[in-house]
Each structure stands twice: as structure tokens, then as C-alpha cells.
Amino acid sequence: MGAIIAKLFPPSTYDSAIILGADAAIILVSAAVVIILTKYKRWQWLWKEWITSADHKKIGIMYLIVAVTMLFRGGVDALMMRSQLAIPDNTLLTANHYDEIFTTHGTIMVFFMAMPFIFALFNVAVPLLIGARDVAFPRLNAISLWLTIFAALLFNVSFVIGGSPNAGWTAYPPLTEMSFNPGLGQNYYLMSLLISGVGTVATGVNFLVTIIRMRAPGMTLMRMPMFVWSALVTSALIIFAFPALTVALALTLLDRVGGSTFFTLGHGGMPMMYVNLFWIWGHPEVYILVLPAFGVFSEVVATFSQKRLFGYSTMVVSVLAITALSFGVWVHHFFTMGAGASINVFFGLSTMLIAIPTGVKVFNWIFTMWQGRVRLTVPMLYALAFIPTFVIGGASGVMLATVPADYQLNNTYFLVAHFHNVLIGGVVFGLLAGMYYWWPKMFGYMLDERWGRRAFWLFFVGFWVTFVPQYFLGLEGMPRRIFTYPAGLGWTGLNQISTVGAFMMGAGFVVLVYDILYSVLHMVRDTTGDPWNGRTLEWSLPSPVPEYNFAVVPIVNDRDAWWEMKRSGNGQPNWPSAKAIRGLHVPKHSAQPFFLGLSFFILGWGVVYEWWWIALFGLVAVLASLVYAMMDYDEVEEIDPDTIRGIEGRFGRLQA
């Protein structure tokens, strides 16, 4: 028993007051949630209405909850790192604790914040944008959600049980080899990402099929909104890129627990093969993250400029070009590793080339706003903030694509500033714009604009205060991944400014959460279904959207379908007559996705600790759940016409 306890709770899980305080906070919050659900008798409601739901809109909301929660966790990690680096020779964090926080910050932000946030917007918006009643595979959609949730849970459990990973979010060998890193943290990392990767690929397949096969009559490919195009190419990127990461992680896991030597240099392995596999996934992943943000900005800029999107065809060509070129730039992540001059030249030029279609999109957004009636709503503020932020991030990326410059700037804080410029200025700004934009469609009420603006300005100004100094730190030679530095190098002042900016961004997140709570308490209902005077089909529906989405599937005759319907003078194109309504099939609630995710969690737990009887039990549970799903043909239920007429009538949308 003592050996088991020592394995579950090694010294690294309680070696500082910070960790013990975080453990206590986790326990208290978890207990509070259980007490509230029990006191108000909401367990059955939670199970029936949410946990077992296959409704794409509710799945999107649950993805959003995961994303915002993980944004908090990853943000706290960032603040701890900046606090450690604020002064020279700081002892706030030990070297190992800093390595753990550094690793979990990057992993959470990429895999468990940004990806769930993207899937939240996909689920909320894509079926509505194309006039579909659901996704192609509703139950698979729920499975993807629960695999993501249980993978995130498995990863975060490592913080208090077993120890966090500490080899960096890229997990390069030999830092992951058992001989150098015998703790359990890397096992947690590998299993959680393998499990979430299964759900991610399933989501890619699901939305690719949904967009190709389930568009409303008349919605040709060149009539699809740009967010749908971004979802389409992102899904394709996921399908082709994630298998490379899965192979790299699986082989690393075999090296750690199976005795193989794929990446073990001392036994004939090749660590550089891992690096290639990781970045063959890793650079397309940059565009998996940023292309949905581009899609959001396209919808937001057109809506709040009250104009058609400028250069729609070139926008489509540019996203297709980015998709193709993204698989030809991965070597720029290791120019300094001796690949040779000719290879470096090729990948340097390809990196510069991919900036062209990105620049096209920026000019198209600017020309869309030109002479438009621009409204500075919160989503539009994030779109406007994105343009200079991403341009600077992209320009610094082109600097790094210049191989001689990269030799000087590689592994400095210049690189840290560059990729945060892209991932925050592009991805996070875009995701927050999408959240504010589609919030009334999700919940039926508006987020408060005043508090939203305050959160925006704190986040935007804090971003620049954080990362501009890091460009100069990189130019002055400060390497990344260090947990402290000596005094007298001239880095202290810039690090302190950067830390102040990080806490401003943290304050922006607090105000964002307050905005949500304030809006719940002072609810301003969206009674029109179209609070932004929108252009696309989702704004033709009531807010929140009924379970069946469209009582009658619309017929599309224009790219801006809802805008054109309003301009034509009809004004009520999707308000069906009572006679036109028929019974509809919607996905039936099922507990199978939840139990499949739980089974994967048990399997992952067993592999992490090499307790093979637990892993075998989890594997059997996974197979049993899959067999049950294969034999369960009762996946839909019917909503009768009278029920639909009643719902449409309550919204005042039923014609005689």
C-alpha cells in the first residue's frame, strides 16, 4: 500500500505551498459543485438534458465550457511563469515546478483550450449556416466531446496525482526517455493527447461529411459562408495532420512503457524522426487553429460593415492555398538542426510564400470595411484588433523564415513573442469574437456590451504590454525555456513590463467572466433572433434555436441568404405555414458516448501507471461500448408536427 501511495503522490505533487493551495482550491470547487447540484436536485436534469444529449448546439455549449475552464487553467500557469521571471534569481518556483507549468501551459492552451473552443463554434454555427438540422453523425459528435473532456480530465489529474509532465509541450526525446524522465507525468501527457486525438479526428470527419452532404437546397460550394469554408478546410487538415502526431505519441509511449527504442538514440533510435513527425502535424495545426478565426472574422466584418464580403472568390482560393502550403513548411521549426542549405532554402521560401494568401485575406477584410457602415460592437473590436496584431505576428514569422536570421533568433524570446502574436492575436481574438457574435444564438440573450468592451481593452492592451518587450528580450539574447536569470544582463525591466501586461490580460479574463455572470443576472433577451441584422441563415432562426433547427429547410438563392431574403422584401422566409410542417427526426439521447469516454479514461489511467489489469478492464469496456453502439439502431426519435407547430407558434413565427 505504501508503494502505491508513493506512486500516486510523489514529492513533486506537494512540495510547495502553491501546489497545496491549488489542490485545496480544486477540492473546494469540486465539493461546491456537488453540493449545489445536490441541493437544487439538478443531477437528473444534468444527466438527461446535457450529459446524454446529442444535440449539436448543446454539445457546442459544453465544448465552450471546457474551453473557458481550460483558458483559466492555462492562464494561471502563464501568470505563474511571468511572476517567476519578473525578477532575477527568483525562487518563487523551483526548476522542476517551472518546467511542469511551462509544459502544461502550452499543452492545455493548444489541445484543451483552443481546439475545444473551435469545435464549440463549429457545433454552434456550421449546421445552422448551411441550413442543416444536425451534423452528419450526431452520436459520433457526442463521442468526440466526451473523449475530449475525459482526456482533459486525465491530463489535469496529473497535477495532483502522479506528477505533471515536464518535457515541454512538444515533448522532444531524449527529454521523454524513461532513463531521463522516469516520472509518470509524460505518460499522462501521451495518453491524454492520444485519447483527445481520437475525438479530434472524429470531429474532422463529422464536419467534413456534414458540409459536403447536408447543405440546404441551392447552397452550392461557392454560396457557402466563409466560416463554413474555414470549417471545411480545417476538417481536412485535421484528418491528414493528426495521424502523424498520433504515430509520434504512440511510438514515444511504446519507448516508455513497452521497451522499444524508436526514438532512443543510445539504442539505434532517431530522435529527429519524432521532431519531423511532430512538426508535420505541428505546422498544419497552426492553421487548424487560425483558419476558423479567419472564418469568424469574415462573418463579423461583413455583418458589422453591412456589406458583402469583398473578394469572396479570392478568399476561398486563399484558404485552399493555405491548406495546401501548410504541409510544406514544417522544417522551418528546426532550421538549426543541420538539414542542409538546399532544404533550408526550400522551406524558407515556402514559409514566405504562405504569407501571400494570408495577406490577401487581410486586404479583403479592410476593403469590406471600406465605405461600409461599421458598427463597433465587441466582436468587431476583436476583428479590428486582430488585423495589426496578426500582421506584426506574420511579419516576424517571415523574419524567422530568413534562415540566417533564424540562426540568431532561434530559441530566444523573439520566437515566444512571434507565436503568441499569432496564436493570441489571431486565434484567441477570433474565438472571443465568435463567442460574443454567436452568444445570443446559443443562449437566447445578449452579453453586456459595456463589460465586454472593458474586457476587450484590458485583454488587448495587456497583450501588447506582455509581448512587445519579449521581442526586444529576444533581440538582446534572452533564451526561452529558462526558469531564472542572473542580474546585470539588462533583462529585468523588460521582464517586469511583460509581467504587468500578463496580469492585465488576466484581469481581462476576470472581467470577461464577470460579463457573463452580469448578463445572466440582467438578462437582455434576443426576441428577434437577428440582433446583429445578420446575413446568414442562423439569424433567420429564433434564439435560442429549437432542437430541430429548421421547421422547414430553407432554399438558398444567394451567398448571403438571409440578407437577400430580407432585402427582397419577404422578411419571413423561414416562417412556415402550419400545413407545411411535417414530423421531424432528431438524434436520441444516449449514455453510450459518456461511458465510452469514461472507458478510455480508465484505459489511459491503467497505461499511465502500468497497472495492466486496469488498462485491460478499460480496453474491454471500450470494446463493449463500441459493440453496444454498433448494435443499437434506435438512434433517432420523432417530434410530431403538432409539437413543432406549438414551438413555432410560441415564437410568433407560424404563418396561417
Side-chain angles (χ1 to χ4, degrees), residues 82 391-423 463 466-482 491 494-495 498:
R82 288 311 320 163
V391 166
I392 291 175
S396 61
V398 173
M399 289 175 63
L400 292 167
T402 307
V403 180
D406 186 75
Y407 269 76
Q408 296 297 317
L409 299 172
N410 182 61
N411 280 335
T412 70
Y413 259 78
F414 188 95
L415 183 59
V416 175
H418 156 68
F419 66 70
H420 282 89
N421 227 144
V422 172
L423 293 181
F463 168 82
T466 302
F467 294 106
V468 168
Q470 293 183 17
Y471 279 114
F472 291 100
L473 285 168
L475 293 172
E476 292 182 6
M478 181 175 174
R480 59 178 177 152
R481 303 191 180 105
I482 59 171
W491 299 342
L494 290 171
N495 271 301
S498 183

Side-chain angles (χ1 to χ4, degrees), residues 58-265:
K58 289 185 176 179
I59 288 174
I61 291 170
M62 287 188 279
Y63 268 123
L64 182 62
I65 293 170
V66 172
V68 173
T69 304
M70 291 297 102
L71 180 59
F72 170 76
R73 165 70 203 278
V76 170
D77 286 345
L79 293 179
M80 292 176 68
M81 286 191 289
R82 288 311 320 163
S83 298
Q84 169 66 19
L85 293 170
I87 59 175
D89 300 312
N90 199 352
T91 58
L92 176 68
L93 303 176
T94 64
N96 183 65
H97 193 189
Y98 183 90
D99 288 344
E100 291 178 347
I101 291 172
F102 169 82
T103 301
T104 56
H105 168 72
T107 306
I108 284 172
M109 288 303 203
V110 172
F111 294 99
F112 299 122
M113 187 282 290
M115 294 301 294
F117 215 138
I118 288 167
F119 293 156
L121 299 184
F122 279 9
N123 273 280
V124 166
V126 168
L128 306 182
L129 284 162
I130 64 174
R133 291 202 172 105
D134 211 299
V135 295
F137 309 113
R139 187 169 294 184
L140 182 63
N141 197 26
I143 289 171
S144 299
L145 167 72
W146 287 107
L147 288 177
T148 300
I149 290 175
F150 278 107
L153 179 61
L154 182 65
F155 185 84
N156 282 278
V157 162
S158 68
F159 186 71
V160 292
I161 302 176
S164 296
N166 59 5
W169 82 275
T170 55
Y172 286 165
L175 298 176
T176 56
E177 289 181 20
M178 191 65 79
S179 56
F180 296 103
N181 197 335
L184 297 172
Q186 287 310 123
N187 292 357
Y188 273 114
Y189 170 96
L190 295 166
M191 281 307 305
S192 62
L193 295 195
L194 283 169
I195 292 170
S196 70
V198 174
T200 299
V201 173
T203 299
V205 172
N206 206 344
F207 279 92
L208 186 71
V209 176
T210 299
I211 295 168
I212 294 297
R213 299 290 298 171
M214 298 185 68
R215 302 189 305 277
M219 182 171 284
T220 62
L221 289 175
M222 294 306 290
R223 286 179 179 170
M224 293 195 311
M226 278 308 304
F227 185 72
V228 179
W229 268 109
S230 71
L232 178 65
V233 298
T234 299
S235 299
L237 281 170
I238 287 171
I239 292 168
F240 286 103
F242 264 82
L245 177 67
T246 300
V247 169
L249 297 176
L251 295 181
T252 303
L253 185 65
L254 286 173
D255 280 2
R256 286 184 60 83
V257 304
S260 61
T261 58
F262 291 105
F263 305 128
T264 307
L265 188 60

